[in-house]
Every structure is written in C-alpha cells, then in structure tokens.
Amino acid sequence: MKEITTVISHLVCGVMFWTLLEYSLHRWVFHVQLTSNSGPWLCTFHFLIHGLHHKVPFDSMRLVFPPLPGVIIAVVIYTPLSIILQNYHPRLVLSGALLGYLCYDMIHYYLHYGNPSAGHHLYHMKRYHYQHHFAHQDLGYGISSPIWDFVFKTRIHLRKLRYQIRWS
C-alpha cells in the first residue's frame, strides 16, 4: 500500500510541476513583451515559437508542441530534478510531468477542434482559451488547468452568456 501511495503522490507532484511549467513557459517565454530594441532574431524566434499560433490558431500543425524541443526541455528539467530529488524518485516525478504534458497536448488540440457540450467543463475551458486567443492575450495562460491563473491573478473572468455557444 505504501508503494502505491508513493507512486501516486509522486505522479501527482509531477503533474502539478507540469502545470506550473506550462503556465510559466506560456506567460514568460511565449508571451514575452518584445520592444523595439529586441532585435530581429528574438522577434522572429518569438513569432515562430508562439506568435504564429496566435496568428493562425486553427492551423492543426501548430497546436502540439514539437517532440524534439520537448525532449530537450525534458532533459534540461530532469537533470537538476534528479540531483534535487535524488532520494525521492525523480523518474516518477518526471513521469507525472510527462503525463501532464500529454494531457496538455490533447486538451489544447481538443480546445481548438473539439465540440464540447454546453455545461461540460471542456466547454468552459474552450471559452476561456478562446478569450485568451482573441480578446485577452495578456491573461489566461493556463491551458490544461487555470490553477496558476488564480495564483498569479491572470484569470479571465467569463461573463454569463444568454445563449450557449454551439461549436462546430
């Protein structure tokens, strides 16, 4: 029983770590405030990693994080994680983070292409994400979870609609 509790708790910690990493990357890397002094290389890099996704949000080839940069980020994250958590099952925490990443990719894709029913949690998530894309690009950085939007006060307040939206 203790082993199951250990596995589950470490996986949950990894998923929570992923949600914080997702929020942080989305807010402070993908939505970095560029200035006239940023230079053409940084502007181009920024546009390619996330700006293009906001420009054409329905391009199915730009909704999932590419595998090669994902592996590089995983290695960069796992190296210090394995040193810090050396006696606390760092591979389980990384597994939880990778599980969180996979859920994020599937949720993000569904939010762009899925047709959730009114009243369903994914319906609310889709409205929230669309508000981030089309109205409040400086808010709503959490994709798979709004937890960190609450913590960092970047939550989008959705108004109640008179009529439900039908996604098609």
Side-chain angles (χ1 to χ4, degrees):
M1 185 64 177
K2 183 181 177 201
E3 292 83 15
I4 293 173
T5 305
T6 299
V7 169
I8 291 172
S9 64
H10 283 76
L11 289 174
V12 168
C13 285
V15 169
M16 290 303 296
F17 175 73
W18 165 255
T19 62
L20 179 60
L21 181 63
E22 169 200 319
Y23 178 90
S24 300
L25 286 171
H26 194 194
R27 180 175 182 181
W28 291 298
V29 176
F30 298 160
H31 283 272
V32 66
Q33 295 299 316
L34 299 174
T35 66
S36 58
N37 298 329
S38 294
W41 286 104
L42 182 58
C43 290
T44 302
F45 178 71
H46 177 264
F47 182 74
L48 290 175
I49 63 167
H50 195 65
L52 194 56
H53 173 62
H54 272 265
K55 185 167 180 62
V56 284
F58 300 107
D59 180 351
S60 63
M61 300 306 289
R62 302 200 189 289
L63 291 178
V64 178
F65 201 73
L68 182 59
V71 168
I72 292 169
I73 289 172
V75 169
V76 167
I77 290 168
Y78 180 71
T79 303
L81 195 66
S82 65
I83 293 168
I84 294 167
L85 301 176
Q86 55 185 282
N87 296 326
Y88 296 99
H89 311 287
R91 289 187 185 129
L92 283 175
V93 175
L94 180 66
S95 297
L98 291 174
L99 177 65
Y101 162 75
L102 289 173
C103 290
Y104 153 80
D105 262 350
M106 291 185 288
I107 288 169
H108 190 226
Y109 193 88
Y110 185 78
L111 294 180
H112 280 265
Y113 284 102
N115 188 15
S117 303
H120 195 279
H121 179 65
L122 288 169
Y123 176 88
H124 174 79
M125 288 178 72
K126 184 166 184 152
R127 280 192 64 212
Y128 191 83
H129 188 61
Y130 274 27
Q131 285 294 306
H132 167 73
H133 264 279
F134 302 115
H136 304 284
Q137 293 185 5
D138 58 340
L139 298 170
Y141 300 106
I143 307 301
S144 56
S145 170
I147 291 170
W148 301 110
D149 284 321
F150 282 97
V151 171
F152 293 110
K153 297 181 180 15
T154 55
R155 181 173 157 240
I156 297 172
H157 297 276
L158 297 174
R159 64 182 177 88
K160 185 173 171 129
L161 299 176
R162 184 178 300 174
Y163 301 103
Q164 297 297 324
I165 299 170
R166 276 194 55 92
W167 309 103
S168 56

